[in-house]
Amino acid sequence: EQDGDRDAAAAIAAGVEDPAVAEFIVHWCLNERGAAKLLSLEPGLQQRVLAEFAPPPHVTHVSERLFQFCVAVSKRAAEEQDWSQAAGNHAATSAHPAPPRGSNVVGSGRMSSDGHASKRQRTGATDNGSAVVTGNESLFKEFLEHWGLNEDSEKKLRSLSPSLQQRVIASFEAPQVAGDPNGKFIMYCVRMAKEHPEENREQDGDRDAAAAIAAGVEDPAVAEFIVHWCLNERGATKLLSLEPELQQQVLAEFAPPAHA
């Protein structure tokens, strides 16, 4: 299906109750695939798409870009909901403010008479950054600041998958002695990655995830390639790091065996 057929878009829009959505379909000359994806969204997400969708002028496959954008919006909304729930849990369990660095308040409880800190759970969730946190970044930052973690610790946390980031944020407890928690935290991330490898492994074959990545790619041919091969973030990032000429060479020559 080709973009640019205004009569076909008008025929699709004729069956749409919301006049704003119908106008949007005609304005962008959406084909059936793009329009169907838009109409599959909840009304609130439809309005977000109508407000935020703005493809670059040179994009020719507008319907495909719209499809990818809808996928990304849906995924972001789900992540925001997870973050909202996590923030509610965090607010419910946060009885004490974050301890100042270097004080004798360690972790989330004050030092008791025997020198041990009381334990308090912290909960959170993540996805965009490096692995990538795309939800409530402020909650992610709050976790780092709460424990006084440095850039190395942040880099290590962001290198984990979103589900494993959430596990670490929810379960980490600082050493029960005063001191720098960063070494402990980095080793904790390493241990969690080893104990839960299934949570820290990006899986190929997730078309929606590939579409979400492709939504931020300007070159429609490269975006289509990412979706076609269901590339994960690691593969797509490597492709996008190449010079345009090399990207085109990859697009033209990449042909993995059928059993791969």
Side-chain angles (χ1 to χ4, degrees):
E1 287 185 309
Q2 299 297 320
D3 293 319
D5 188 339
R6 188 169 295 275
D7 289 341
I12 296 171
V16 178
E17 294 184 1
D18 188 326
V21 175
E23 182 181 356
F24 182 89
I25 292 172
V26 175
H27 174 78
W28 291 111
C29 296
L30 298 184
N31 61 23
E32 187 173 354
R33 172 178 162 84
K37 186 63 178 177
L38 173 62
L39 295 172
S40 72
L41 301 180
E42 295 290 332
L45 295 184
Q46 287 181 0
Q47 296 305 314
R48 181 183 295 190
V49 171
L50 267 58
E52 299 179 4
F53 182 66
H58 65 273
V59 170
T60 55
H61 299 80
V62 175
S63 290
E64 183 61 28
R65 178 59 64 90
L66 185 278
F67 185 96
Q68 297 164 4
F69 187 77
C70 288
V71 170
V73 166
S74 296
K75 184 177 181 181
R76 187 167 74 241
E79 291 164 351
E80 289 173 351
Q81 183 176 8
D82 290 343
W83 272 104
S84 179
Q85 293 173 352
N89 294 338
H90 170 71
T93 57
S94 295
H96 303 290
R101 299 184 187 183
S103 71
N104 64 347
V105 181
V106 179
S108 55
R110 296 184 180 278
M111 296 294 288
S112 62
S113 59
D114 61 359
H116 293 284
S118 61
K119 185 175 181 179
R120 178 173 65 91
Q121 291 184 335
R122 291 179 59 85
T123 57
T126 67
D127 171 26
N128 250 18
S130 300
V132 178
V133 178
T134 58
N136 191 333
E137 181 72 9
S138 63
L139 187 59
F140 189 87
K141 289 291 189 182
E142 181 185 350
F143 172 81
L144 298 172
E145 292 175 359
H146 178 88
W147 295 114
L149 300 177
N150 61 21
E151 292 182 2
D152 290 337
S153 291
E154 179 177 0
K155 182 177 180 180
K156 185 61 182 178
L157 179 59
R158 289 185 184 275
S159 73
L160 303 178
S161 68
S163 61
L164 198 54
Q165 287 178 359
Q166 180 175 356
R167 182 183 291 275
V168 169
I169 289 175
S171 61
F172 177 70
E173 290 292 337
Q176 296 182 346
V177 293
D180 185 1
N182 288 285
K184 171 78 172 181
F185 178 77
I186 292 173
M187 292 305 298
Y188 184 75
C189 289
V190 171
R191 178 164 64 85
M192 294 296 281
K194 290 181 178 179
E195 292 179 357
H196 305 278
E198 73 287 350
E199 291 188 24
N200 201 39
R201 185 185 302 118
E202 289 187 306
Q203 299 294 329
D204 292 321
D206 188 338
R207 186 168 295 274
D208 286 345
I213 295 171
V217 178
E218 292 187 0
D219 188 325
V222 176
E224 182 179 356
F225 182 89
I226 292 172
V227 174
H228 175 77
W229 292 110
C230 296
L231 299 186
N232 61 22
E233 186 178 356
R234 175 180 170 83
T237 299
K238 185 62 179 178
L239 174 62
L240 296 171
S241 71
L242 302 178
E243 294 293 328
E245 295 79 5
L246 293 180
Q247 288 181 359
Q248 296 306 314
Q249 184 175 343
V250 170
L251 269 57
E253 300 179 5
F254 181 69
H259 64 272

